[in-house]
Amino acid sequence: SLGFRLSLLCGAASGSLSTLVTFPFDTVRRRMQIQNLHIDEKNRLNGFQQINVLLRNEGVGGLYRGLPPELLKVIPMVGTMFTVYEFLKQQLNIKSQR
């Protein structure tokens, strides 16, 4: 058993890491969705064009705009999920198959 603190820490770390890896893709996806509302179809940018324009205009930081609120959501959520999973696994006497 990992224990309460380690489960919480592992969940928080895994949630943070997955967010850091996937967040740029979410940023591009959101921008593409927004352009569908405001830009004619013939003038819309595809994903690669979106990334190029974003990097040119805003730099790498533009890919991570909005990251702090996302981390404030993800860290407690995934940390709690890991902790509850480990707690219930222990309470239900479920053994890991290793």
Side-chain angles (χ1 to χ4, degrees), residues 27-65:
T27 301
V28 171
R29 176 188 52 82
R30 280 190 298 271
R31 287 180 182 232
M32 290 178 73
Q33 288 174 329
I34 290 170
Q35 79 176 352
N36 288 341
L37 299 174
H38 304 287
I39 298 175
D40 293 331
E41 190 170 347
K42 64 180 183 275
N43 295 325
R44 292 180 191 161
L45 303 177
N46 65 33
F48 293 113
Q49 292 168 328
Q50 252 334 319
I51 291 171
N52 286 331
V53 168
L54 199 146
L55 288 173
R56 190 173 344 109
N57 294 340
E58 301 178 41
V60 176
L63 291 171
Y64 290 96
R65 176 171 285 157

Side-chain angles (χ1 to χ4, degrees), residues 2 5-23 67 70-71 73-83 85-86:
L2 292 176
R5 287 188 178 136
L6 190 55
S7 292
L8 192 63
L9 182 64
C10 286
S14 71
S16 298
L17 182 62
S18 66
T19 298
L20 289 172
V21 170
T22 61
F23 198 79
L67 182 64
E70 181 70 12
L71 287 173
K73 176 188 85 172
V74 166
I75 290 172
M77 180 184 71
V78 180
T80 302
M81 187 174 66
F82 266 59
T83 305
Y85 172 80
E86 287 295 325

